[in-house]
Structure formats: C-alpha cells, structure tokens
Amino acid sequence: MLVLMTVFTSHASEFVLSERCPPSFDLDEQGKCRLVTRYQWYTSVQDRGVGGTRTALPAHRDGFTPAQIDLGRLLFFDPILSKDGSVSCASCHQPEKGFSDGLGKSVGIQGKRGQRSAPTLWNVAFLDRFFWDGRANTLEEQAAGPLFSPVEMGNSPAQLLSTLNQDPIYVSLFKQAFPDTDGIALESVYQALAGFQVSLISLNSRYDRYAHGHHNALTQREIAGMNVFRSFVARCAECHQPPLFTNNQIAVIGVPEKNGDPFDAGAEATFNAKKLRGGFKVPTLRNITLTEPYMHAGNFESLEESVEFYTKGRGHAVPENETLQLHWHIWEPNLTREEVLLIVEFLGTLTDESLIPAIPDKVPSGRSVTQALQVQSTLFTDSQARTAQGEE
C-alpha cells in the first residue's frame, strides 16, 4: 500500500491546474476569466451585413475559472473519455488542422465513419447553435453528442463516470476545479470541456490588424479580394459576416453530395421544418485555409472549388428529385476567374493561431495523447480498405 501511494503521489504531482487565465482573458475579482478584445470597443453593427470592418462582436460566453479551463484542456486531449480509450476530442478537432480533422467525414472508435465533417472550434464562445444541423444550443449540450455517439467516442454516461471516478488524479483535479461538487458529475465534465472551448479565440489575423487601422497588413490583391467578398455582387459577407465571418444561421445553399452519397436533409430533422431541408449552419471562415475539405461532408476539396460553386448558378447542383427552398442570397454573381482567385487570396488573411493552446505532454489517465491525435487517419485508411474489400 505504501508503494502504491508513493507512485500515485508522484504521478499526481505532475498535474497542477493553472491559476492563470488563458491569453486574451483577464481574471476578475470573482476569480473568473473574462475575454478582452479590441472589438469590444466598437458598438456599431449597422455595417455588419455588408462586411463592415469595425463592427462589434455578438454576445459571448466566458466566466470560467482558470482551473476549470485547464481541466477541460486535459479532458479534451485525454482518450479516457472514449469507450475503448482510443480517441479523444482532439482526434477530430486537431489544433494544427484548425481544430478540425482534415476529413470529409470524421472517424470515431473502431474506424466508424460519421455522416459529416468535424467543424472548427475556433471562436465557439460567440456561437449559440452547434453541430452542422444546429441541434445543440449550448456547448455543454454539444459535448454530450460525441461522447455518447456510437460512431464517435462510443461511451455511455455510466461508464464515463465510473472510469473518471476510479481515477484518483481526476477526482483530485475535479475537486480543485469544482470545489462545491462531491465526486465527478457529468455536468462538471461538460462544463470543463465548454470552458476550454470558450478559450479558443482567434481574432488577431492579418485581416484583424487591417480592420483595426493597420492598412499595410494586407497586400493590394488581398484588399481587392476583400472588396469582392464584401460587394453586393458576390454577397459573401451577407452570410459570412465580419468579424466572425459567420452569422450563425442555417442556410440552404444546394451543395451537392460527394461520391453519390445519399442526400443529407440537414436541419430539416432538427427543426421539423421542410423549408430547412438541405440546410446547414453557415460556418466561420476563420482559419479556413487549415480546415479543408469544405462544406458539411467534405463536398469540395479546395477553397477555389468552394468559391466557384457560388458562381455556377442558383440551384445548379440540386438533385433532380429534390425541391429545396434555397437561401435568397444564393443567386448568379457570374464572378470572373480572377475574382474567384482574389476571394481565395483574401480568405488566407483570416488565419490566426497566435492563441493556440498547449497540447499536454501527458494526461492524467496515462494514455497516449499522440496516438489519439494520429489514430483517426489510421482508422480511416483501414476503414477504406475494408469497404473496398466488401467488409462493410
């Protein structure tokens, strides 16, 4: 018993939750982390729909403690949250891939493929609707989805709580982060994960520096691309509204499914609304160069292909047997090849990883963080091979 206690104490000493807020957050008098950005000094929202630069951000979430955020970071990268200990949240939301995974359709435990791609987590603090079909209204509600999905992390509430409560290090860390809670509760798991995701702020790109008055932050071609993006011809900014480059709404745009896949009804099922058939959340364009392929299921391989979709004509890709109520912003701008390329160049100015969080070298469970980050691409390759051999 003495030997076991010594080993536990030594291992536990490696994990001390931070007492400091992440960058871009200040600690208030109540010990909560509050977001601070330059955009908070702007109050005008009048120009947001046509791409105004100095416009205010929408309401956001903050108010988590440093310990809760840091605990969420450990949980996010720890495969202990999955049924078989093979994948973590970070397996599908990899920091170097814009907190996406580089796959058209994400892969979970045992090589099981999902229906859609993993959306980026940058700036989710400003969103009030989650998943491609908008079926979750809070980050806590969103967290439960992948944890208990049979094709993602495959866990169950009972098994997750049992595993965590049997880990003495996690028991100690949860007590630090949630001192008023006895044991580890599901709500605390969700809250810690939400706290970490809220800390993922990306608002210091070259575009942002331009928007704040440093006009030499962009090249002349990038400025030209921004002007096309904001124009009443292209109308990109009417849905991808600065500063977040999304309006967080559902839009039906008629994107074609890939490789003959069945048509995805999207938000129709979420809201029980026929008019939203084929509708999906308007994604942020922040760090868009890192999150290929694009659209809800990797429908397009490149940004150029994605932009070209919008200029090929209203409803040109809608299946013959589908009648969709396309968003009124979808029309026929007839952009030139040069204008398409200029928009793509401008989108490159939205990359900002200056506040990317540190990936933990170790996690309390002792499982491999690196293997969990690499496992998805391996499982995807194996799954493809099985499909080709007729095993799925």
Side-chain angles (χ1 to χ4, degrees):
M1 178 64 71
L2 179 59
V3 174
L4 291 176
M5 183 61 71
T6 301
V7 172
F8 164 65
T9 303
S10 175
H11 187 39
S13 65
E14 299 178 26
F15 299 98
V16 178
L17 296 180
S18 177
E19 297 179 355
R20 295 184 177 183
C21 294
S24 201
F25 288 80
D26 282 348
L27 194 65
D28 68 11
E29 294 180 354
Q30 288 72 44
K32 305 293 182 65
C33 297
R34 302 295 179 183
L35 179 63
V36 179
T37 78
R38 289 186 178 182
Y39 283 104
Q40 74 187 59
W41 305 114
Y42 305 142
T43 57
S44 173
V45 296
Q46 294 177 354
D47 296 329
R48 183 178 293 162
V50 293
T53 54
R54 296 191 179 186
T55 54
L57 287 162
H60 65 273
R61 285 195 66 183
D62 57 12
F64 296 90
T65 68
Q68 290 168 350
I69 294 171
D70 205 26
L71 174 58
R73 181 178 68 95
L74 293 175
L75 289 169
F76 186 87
F77 287 98
D78 198 333
I80 196 175
L81 296 189
S82 62
K83 178 180 180 179
D84 59 4
S86 65
V87 298
S88 65
C89 301
S91 297
C92 286
H93 298 285
Q94 301 177 23
E96 73 276 10
K97 294 180 180 178
F99 282 96
S100 184
D101 58 13
L103 300 176
K105 294 184 177 182
S106 295
V107 179
I109 61 171
Q110 302 171 350
K112 296 178 181 179
R113 282 177 289 181
Q115 185 180 11
R116 299 169 186 147
S117 62
T120 180
L121 299 180
W122 282 116
N123 295 331
V124 292
F126 299 95
L127 305 185
D128 57 14
R129 185 175 291 125
F130 304 91
F131 293 112
W132 278 104
D133 55 12
R135 65 183 183 274
N137 296 316
T138 67
L139 281 168
E140 287 84 350
E141 185 181 350
Q142 179 275 330
L147 286 173
F148 309 129
S149 166
V151 298
E152 295 186 63
M153 302 179 83
N155 218 328
S156 67
Q159 179 175 324
L160 176 59
L161 287 180
S162 175
T163 303
L164 289 175
N165 278 298
Q166 290 178 39
D167 188 311
I169 298 178
Y170 268 123
V171 171
S172 174
L173 294 178
F174 269 88
K175 191 61 179 176
Q176 294 176 47
F178 301 96
D180 297 329
T181 301
D182 293 328
I184 299 175
L186 283 176
E187 290 72 19
S188 299
V189 176
Y190 303 154
Q191 190 173 350
L193 288 170
F196 171 67
Q197 292 178 78
V198 160
S199 74
L200 303 177
I201 300 298
S202 181
L203 293 171
N204 192 33
S205 66
R206 289 194 294 118
Y207 163 80
D208 296 298
R209 295 195 287 277
Y210 176 89
H212 297 317
H214 302 283
H215 291 172
N216 60 350
L218 302 185
T219 69
Q220 289 304 307
R221 285 188 60 82
E222 290 165 346
I223 293 173
M226 180 183 68
N227 289 334
V228 177
F229 183 92
R230 295 171 56 184
S231 70
F232 282 110
V233 176
R235 306 175 78 164
C236 307
E238 294 186 2
C239 288
H240 297 284
Q241 298 173 359
L244 293 182
F245 289 87
T246 177
N247 59 6
N248 200 32
Q249 296 178 4
I250 302 293
V252 181
I253 64 175
V255 172
E257 301 297 344
K258 195 173 182 180
N259 301 324
D261 288 347
F263 184 78
D264 190 335
E268 178 187 26
T270 300
F271 299 97
N272 192 28
K274 184 68 175 179
K275 67 179 181 180
L276 293 180
R277 182 168 179 78
F280 298 94
K281 264 187 55 180
V282 176
T284 179
L285 301 181
R286 293 276 179 172
N287 293 305
I288 192 69
T289 59
L290 306 175
T291 60
E292 60 184 11
Y294 302 107
M295 304 294 181
H296 63 274
N299 311 63
F300 300 130
E301 296 296 329
S302 68
L303 277 176
E304 185 177 331
E305 187 181 1
S306 301
V307 176
E308 285 178 341
F309 162 79
Y310 291 98
T311 195
K312 287 184 177 179
R314 180 179 176 86
H316 72 276
V318 175
E320 292 183 2
N321 61 335
E322 292 285 348
T323 301
L324 304 182
Q325 297 187 36
L326 297 177
H327 195 285
W328 67 279
H329 286 166
I330 302 300
W331 68 310
E332 300 179 3
N334 296 319
L335 300 177
T336 66
R337 169 74 174 169
E338 176 67 3
E339 288 172 327
V340 169
L341 294 177
L342 285 172
I343 290 176
V344 172
E345 284 195 49
F346 167 65
L347 294 178
T349 72
L350 302 180
T351 302
D352 165 39
E353 300 178 284
S354 59
L355 301 184
I356 196 166
I359 299 175
D361 296 325
K362 298 179 180 179
V363 286
S365 70
R367 292 172 170 82
S368 172
V369 173
T370 303
Q371 287 183 10
L373 288 171
Q374 295 174 342
V375 70
Q376 195 177 41
S377 59
T378 302
L379 289 172
F380 183 64
T381 302
D382 292 344
S383 183
Q384 282 183 313
R386 290 197 301 272
T387 300
Q389 296 169 6
E391 296 178 14
E392 289 189 349

